[in-house]
Amino acid sequence: MNIILLGAPGAGKGTQASKIAEKYNLLHVSTGDIFRANIKGGTEIGKLAKSYIDAGKLVPDEVTCAIVKDRLTWADAQNGYMLDGFPRNLFQAEELEKFAKIDLCLNIDVDEALLMDRICGRRVCKCGESYHVSTLNGATKCRKCGGELYQREDDNPRTVKARLETYNTQTAPLINYYKAQGKLATVTSGEGSPDEVFGQIIKILG
Ligand code: ADP
Ligand code: ZN
């Protein structure tokens, strides 16, 4: 099973992706994570991506598509995967069809008014876990691995505003794109707790 996870920044794609990956044994491919690993490693891709990410814009399609295309040829992708953060515009969606067969697009729908607070209150760990300050009670370490929590550089109000605009103009049209293909499934109560949202996803995936 090959799945696309669609949703605005802060909709909870990453959180749900970890849960889905565990239960259904699917590879989690996050373009955002790949870019951040490249930035940390100081690669050419990382240097290029950083300026776009800091501005809340999309990294150029040629670069992004090439990364995903290559990643899906690895052995660990052959039993099925979940794309988190890709495609993010129509061009990427059309490119994807040339090298992948997608079974389902899961759209996590969340009231836009909640997103700013969700993202700006987010604290992440290098192991992939993420938390919201409102549930941390002042804790600064990851509950899963003990790692130090930190805030992503692009999780600031100014960049988030640009990311939401990028989402609304470029990514949201993909909802109708996959609906027209009969592949769309919508998680309607994305405002719920991670477990509530995951419960809905299990119902959809079976
Ligand atoms: P979020 O979904 O919370 O915005 P991500 O980690 O998915 O976070 O993405 C962070 C940033 O990485 C995006 O704002 C964008 O700059 C870049 N990025 C991620 N995926 C793509 C993509 N498919 N195409 C272009 N840029 C991307
Ligand atoms: Zn951790």
Side-chain angles (χ1 to χ4, degrees), residues 63-197:
V63 178
T64 309
C65 291
I67 288 174
V68 176
K69 183 177 179 183
D70 172 73
R71 187 65 187 85
L72 297 188
T73 64
W74 295 22
D76 59 0
Q78 307 317 309
N79 286 328
Y81 48 79
M82 217 175 352
L83 297 177
D84 162 9
F86 185 92
R88 258 178 149 99
N89 61 24
L90 281 169
F91 181 85
Q92 293 180 5
E94 284 167 0
E95 281 301 299
L96 179 64
E97 284 179 13
K98 298 178 186 167
F99 57 80
K101 197 185 152 320
I102 298 302
D103 301 297
L104 185 75
C105 175
L106 262 184
N107 177 37
I108 307 181
D109 191 45
V110 176
D111 182 353
E112 189 170 345
L114 296 178
L115 298 174
M116 181 63 81
D117 171 69
R118 269 202 183 181
I119 303 174
C120 294
R122 175 160 67 187
R123 298 294 180 271
V124 297
C125 174
K126 61 176 174 0
C127 79
E129 279 295 296
S130 67
Y131 303 86
H132 190 274
V133 280
S134 63
T135 65
L136 282 170
N137 297 318
T140 59
K141 302 236 190 301
C142 174
R143 279 181 213 128
K144 224 176 192 177
C145 78
E148 194 66 40
L149 299 178
Y150 62 95
Q151 189 166 23
R152 260 167 57 177
E153 234 179 277
D154 60 342
D155 283 353
N156 64 78
R158 207 169 137 196
T159 308
V160 172
K161 201 159 169 276
R163 283 158 65 195
L164 290 174
E165 185 154 327
T166 301
Y167 169 79
N168 284 324
T169 55
Q170 302 194 52
T171 311
L174 294 180
I175 296 172
N176 278 331
Y177 180 85
Y178 288 107
K179 194 191 253 173
Q181 293 192 359
K183 290 182 178 166
L184 188 78
T186 301
V187 178
T188 49
S189 63
E191 296 84 11
S193 71
D195 284 338
E196 280 162 13
V197 175

Side-chain angles (χ1 to χ4, degrees), residues 9-10 13 31-33 35-36 52-53 57-59 64 85-86 88 92 122 152 154 163:
K13 299 186 296 292
T31 40
D33 285 350
F35 288 135
R36 282 184 287 277
Y52 293 94
I53 291 177
K57 295 189 176 145
L58 296 185
V59 178
T64 309
F86 185 92
R88 258 178 149 99
Q92 293 180 5
R122 175 160 67 187
R152 260 167 57 177
D154 60 342
R163 283 158 65 195

